[in-house]
Amino acid sequence: KQEVTQIPAALSVPEGENLVLNCSFTDSAIYNLQWFRQDPGKGLTSLLLIQSSQREQTSGRLNASLDKSSGRSTLYIAASQPGDSATYLCAVTAGANNLFFGTGTRLTVIP
Amino acid sequence: NAGVTQTPKFRILKIGQSMTLQCTQDMNHNYMYWYRQDPGMGLKLIYYSVGAGITDKGEVPNGYNVSRSTTEDFPLRLELAAPSQTSVYFCASSGMGSGQPQHFGDGTRLSIL
């Protein structure tokens, strides 16, 4: 059974700092890996999707990497802003296009 | 663009009552999903559908039923509500193929008292 773990569970950083969120998964037989953002009381917004054949994806200040063989992904956020405060979820796609989620990292960026 | 729309946004039920959570998408996606999210936990898959008339169980299907009579709609039914079903429910959809991202609705917050 696929297990997805995210470390740390919570993180507070001062504005402007660069930061890294970590995600690990137990079964490397995945189609892709997605990073989502979730604001309180809201749904999930897809940030980046990395196909299993890719190593990384970039969107603005966000960069996600994937090492499928070791079961790891990182989300790098450059020059953090207070508006980046949210919970970040990692999920891998396996089986019949099913997503397996981690429990998330709650990020607070302090002005 | 509406995307994935869920109704209602909030609901309180009494133990033993039944209700249907509605989900509709306007992206002509074949794949649709229902997840639940408990406090401090990741999302867990309840049921999914790969097309009209086809549904299958996910990780936590007990206590729920689904149907998929059209491409657009994928309702989730709770027949006998139990306190353990208090959760936030998310519906999602995606196009066909293994590399397609899932698009989520804003969720239904359900409390069973």
Side-chain angles (χ1 to χ4, degrees), chain B residues 60-108:
Chain B
V60 290
N62 291 343
Y64 307 95
N65 282 301
V66 293
S67 59
R68 184 93 182 272
S69 57
T70 67
T71 299
E72 295 78 19
D73 300 308
F74 190 40
L76 177 72
R77 183 153 181 89
L78 284 69
E79 291 293 350
L80 289 171
S84 62
Q85 294 177 304
T86 294
S87 190
V88 181
Y89 292 84
F90 289 101
C91 179
S93 71
S94 71
M96 283 180 64
S98 59
Q100 301 302 312
Q102 293 191 13
H103 301 265
F104 283 77
D106 285 341
T108 294

Side-chain angles (χ1 to χ4, degrees), chain A residues 4 6 23 32-36 89-93 99-102:
Chain A
V4 181
Q6 291 187 247
C23 172
N32 57 48
L33 182 143
Q34 278 186 261
W35 283 95
F36 293 88
L89 294 165
C90 163
V92 296
T93 303
L99 278 176
F100 295 88
F101 283 84

Side-chain angles (χ1 to χ4, degrees), chain A residues 1 31-32 34 36 38 40-44 46 49 51 89 93 96-103, chain B residues 31 33 35 37 40-43 45 48 59 90 94-95 97-102 104-106 109:
Chain A
K1 180 188 172 191
Y31 294 124
N32 57 48
Q34 278 186 261
F36 293 88
Q38 185 176 28
K42 297 291 188 180
L44 280 66
S46 181
L49 182 150
Q51 301 291 355
L89 294 165
T93 303
N97 217 37
N98 297 334
L99 278 176
F100 295 88
F101 283 84
T103 54
Chain B
Y31 291 13
Y33 313 82
Y35 297 89
Q37 185 179 34
M41 305 292 288
L43 281 71
L45 183 65
Y48 65 98
E59 187 178 357
F90 289 101
S94 71
S98 59
Q100 301 302 312
Q102 293 191 13
F104 283 77
D106 285 341
R109 190 174 299 272

Side-chain angles (χ1 to χ4, degrees), chain B residues 4-88:
Chain B
V4 179
T5 302
Q6 292 184 237
T7 56
K9 294 190 184 302
F10 305 94
R11 184 73 183 269
I12 298 174
L13 284 182
K14 294 182 178 178
I15 296 171
Q17 286 185 320
S18 62
M19 78 162 294
T20 299
L21 281 66
Q22 301 292 344
C23 175
T24 187
Q25 53 93 8
D26 62 0
M27 296 172 282
N28 201 32
H29 284 165
N30 287 86
Y31 291 13
M32 296 188 74
Y33 313 82
W34 275 106
Y35 297 89
R36 61 177 287 173
Q37 185 179 34
D38 298 319
M41 305 292 288
L43 281 71
K44 293 194 180 296
L45 183 65
I46 305 171
Y47 271 96
Y48 65 98
S49 169
V50 299
I54 306 169
T55 63
D56 209 344
K57 296 177 180 179
E59 187 178 357
V60 290
N62 291 343
Y64 307 95
N65 282 301
V66 293
S67 59
R68 184 93 182 272
S69 57
T70 67
T71 299
E72 295 78 19
D73 300 308
F74 190 40
L76 177 72
R77 183 153 181 89
L78 284 69
E79 291 293 350
L80 289 171
S84 62
Q85 294 177 304
T86 294
S87 190
V88 181

